[in-house]
Amino acid sequence: MGHGGEPRRTQAYDGELGAAVARAQDGDETAFAVAYRLVQPGLLGYLRGLVGDDAEDVASDAWLEIARDLGRFKGDGAGFRGWTATIARHRALDHLRRQRVRPRASALEQDVLDLPGPQSTHDQALESISTEYALELVRGLPRDQAEAVLLRVVVGLDGPASARVLGKRPGAVRTAAYRGLKRLARQLGGGAETGEGVTEDGPSTLGEST
């Protein structure tokens, strides 16, 4: 969408975000708008993964709550990202409960998938394909893997922050994100697991065999 194609490096914004949040807590409305602008794209992408086309409505509800409770927030830019994702997730789950449907991932906006920088071959694999295809694949992941991937890649949270949002142990979220990205890389590379050591369904080396 005219970003000049450069990947969105979430972490680079966190200093600016932390400063804006601190000013917003002192009542600076312009600063709140800056914080909104920095957080909303990733938040919307995460919500689209949970509630599909209702993401905008759920995001509006979440921002009302964020604005109302802003005085209670303590932390830096990265902390604010995690705090807002937690609020958005609760709003999304409430919405789904009302609808009584299971979460379904659905199309994220083009610019949301400008991934935060090629830190790994997984990210490069994801960056090298079309947005539509990437979402098609993320939609196919189990819910825990899809959420872990969305929080890490789209919202830009680190492992411990993602775990707090999901209310799980960091190890479980790390594993889910790893499995999700590994599955995506495998689907993209057409069997690129060769040389990756023991695959999950390979011969057991953990003493489980009788």
Side-chain angles (χ1 to χ4, degrees), residues 95 98 168:
H95 176 81
R98 283 199 300 276
K168 293 182 175 171

Side-chain angles (χ1 to χ4, degrees), residues 1-2 29 72 74 89 98 106 112 116 120 127 133 169:
M1 300 255 222
E29 284 177 27
R72 290 215 289 268
K74 291 184 176 52
R89 180 171 199 263
R98 283 199 300 276
S106 75
V112 165
S120 70
E127 280 192 291
Y133 187 47
R169 294 189 323 285

Side-chain angles (χ1 to χ4, degrees), residues 102-171:
R102 296 207 35 249
R104 66 216 182 282
S106 75
L108 305 167
E109 279 183 357
Q110 172 74 41
D111 63 346
V112 165
L113 257 127
D114 294 343
L115 304 180
Q119 290 99 350
S120 70
T121 49
H122 291 317
D123 283 359
Q124 282 158 359
L126 282 171
E127 280 192 291
S128 68
I129 56 170
S130 76
T131 304
E132 295 75 45
Y133 187 47
L135 289 164
E136 212 52 52
L137 294 177
V138 172
R139 278 207 287 284
L141 294 175
R143 162 97 184 269
D144 63 325
Q145 294 180 16
E147 274 207 85
V149 170
L150 287 165
L151 285 170
R152 297 298 303 272
V153 175
V154 178
V155 183
L157 298 181
D158 64 14
S162 300
R164 281 195 296 277
V165 171
L166 296 173
K168 293 182 175 171
R169 294 189 323 285

Side-chain angles (χ1 to χ4, degrees), residues 38-148:
L38 290 171
V39 170
Q40 172 72 348
L43 210 57
L44 204 53
Y46 176 49
L47 287 171
R48 276 189 204 285
L50 290 176
V51 301
D53 295 337
D54 298 325
E56 299 266 2
D57 293 344
V58 174
S60 300
D61 291 346
W63 279 105
L64 288 172
E65 189 174 331
I66 290 161
R68 189 192 71 209
D69 293 345
L70 186 64
R72 290 215 289 268
F73 170 74
K74 291 184 176 52
D76 58 7
F80 186 73
R81 228 176 257 290
W83 184 67
T84 53
T86 303
I87 289 174
R89 180 171 199 263
H90 288 314
R91 292 280 69 79
L93 295 179
D94 287 347
H95 176 81
L96 292 167
R97 231 169 271 129
R98 283 199 300 276
Q99 282 196 325
R100 283 185 168 49
V101 295
R102 296 207 35 249
R104 66 216 182 282
S106 75
L108 305 167
E109 279 183 357
Q110 172 74 41
D111 63 346
V112 165
L113 257 127
D114 294 343
L115 304 180
Q119 290 99 350
S120 70
T121 49
H122 291 317
D123 283 359
Q124 282 158 359
L126 282 171
E127 280 192 291
S128 68
I129 56 170
S130 76
T131 304
E132 295 75 45
Y133 187 47
L135 289 164
E136 212 52 52
L137 294 177
V138 172
R139 278 207 287 284
L141 294 175
R143 162 97 184 269
D144 63 325
Q145 294 180 16
E147 274 207 85

